Amino acid sequence: MQKIILFTTILLVAIVTQLTAQEKDSVQSLKWSTGQSEPKRFEIGPDKSPEFTNQNVFTIKSIKSKIEGFGSSMRTINPDLFLGKTVKMSGYVKSEKVKSWAGLWMRVDYYSTEVLAFDNMHNRAIKGTTDWEKYEIVLFVPKDATSISYGVLLDGTGQIWFKDVTLEVVEDTVPETGTNKGREHKSISFEKKAKAIANQIKTITDDEKNALKTEIDSLDKQVVDGSISKEKADALKLKKAQVHAANIDTKIAVEEEKLNQLIQDKVNEKVEDENVKKRSGTSIIIGGSNDSAIIDGTEINVTSMKVYHGQKDKENRQSKRTTSQFVFALGANNLVTDKQVANSDFKYLKSHFYEWGLTYNTRILKEDNLLHFKYGVSLMYNNLRATDDRYFQKNGPQTDLVTSPVHLDESRFRNVYVMVPLHLEFDFTKKEVRDDASYFRTHKSARIGIGGYAGFRVKSKQILCFDDAVGNDVEQKTKGNYNVNDFNYGLSTYVGYKATSLYLKYDLQPLFENNPVDQNNISLGLRFDFN
């Protein structure tokens, strides 16, 4: 009985020891593949010399007296066991007359699209002649990784030997050695990931088809040589075609599952768009609030006069039922006379308008982002520049456009108003759902506004510039009411995308109170709503 217990104990210890060894060095059973930057420059493979008996030693040896380029021995593995972990690659290397450099190398990839982490010991390379020494590479493997490649390389002439190359997980406190560190890797965009998976599906199909073609060509050659009959070759071709078709289905199913998960992550907003960049620290923004995400940082938006403390604060404040925007608009300005603006008495490009103000935007429906009521206060500047050396002159109860006796370098008539704009806005920004919370952000898609404005005139001013009799430059500014209507109102609309819109305004109130012909101000330009 004691012998049975002793035997069982020894057997269990042996099994546990074997399993532990397999777990620690599971990659050692993989075969080494070889590569050269130029063919026939290196001998690469196991070294069978008597001195290395039972040591499983491999070598890379230059066979030319002068070489530009490198030879490498490598393995590529699935990274699933190492995702989100710090991995140490170690191995023993011996060198002889290495003129350039040699070293271990390790690379973490997302398909062929992006290198997530890399180290080749170039900054601490093996050179000259050295005895056996243990070297190490430490890299963090991001969760986006799809493969880990590692190996040993020799650049230029000389010879190296290597053995006992292993990968193992180490504590995250162990620092990375690479110049391209995995922990510094930034998230890969949805677009880049989707394209990489699509390319991988195509690569799988092409590789399997090419492999099948090679095998079919080999069978055809055997038929020609008389090694096998045509009937047997056809049967083998059918069998191999079925094998490769099954390989395609199996491998593509894996990639399709990744694609489905990617789409689900996109829906849940766990993966970012290509145009979305993450920021930390304090950012000063001039213009519209950009789409970049704030990581533990502060965004100071000078234009909208807002400060956001982190991404959550930004999203919550921009998703409130009522939000505020700073508005700035500019463009061409003119008068509609006898219901037409053609053949105007005012310059089309040099007559312009400006508007700036503060608006509030209230979502009308609690759970729908389409309809908004937009209201606020604006300061409007309407400028008219007359043609043919003309200017406005008050003539009793009416105002006439008269010709100047001297050439006018500048003839500008400005009216300033305080207005209350009111618009029904259709905002096509979709509702966002994340972490079971709904966000109704505005000004992130197409927008249409329909409404009007009403207000009062603040001042009118005419500016004339000309040369006097002795050639001096004269600027004459004259303030007055010029019989301009004190109360003004009109219609306006805008159509745009995000912060920028095409803006049209038309005064229903004529410019002058008592002129025999009504002249109504019209403006067309760009409007910016800074959220």
Side-chain angles (χ1 to χ4, degrees), residues 34 83 104 155 177 224 239 278 345 413 425 428 438 456:
T34 62
L83 295 178
L104 306 181
D155 184 78
T177 58
V224 173
K239 186 175 181 179
K278 293 186 176 181
D345 293 326
F413 186 56
E425 184 175 275
F428 296 94
S438 297
F456 58 90

Side-chain angles (χ1 to χ4, degrees), residues 229-243:
S229 65
K230 186 176 183 306
E231 291 76 12
K232 185 175 181 180
D234 290 341
L236 289 172
K237 289 178 183 178
L238 179 59
K239 186 175 181 179
K240 291 182 180 296
Q242 292 172 342
V243 170

Side-chain angles (χ1 to χ4, degrees), residues 401-427:
L401 190 63
V402 301
T403 302
S404 169
V406 298
H407 171 67
L408 298 176
D409 297 321
E410 169 84 339
S411 175
R412 183 179 2 149
F413 186 56
R414 174 186 292 167
N415 292 285
V416 183
Y417 301 89
V418 172
M419 292 292 186
V420 176
L422 304 172
H423 292 92
L424 177 65
E425 184 175 275
F426 299 84
D427 193 324

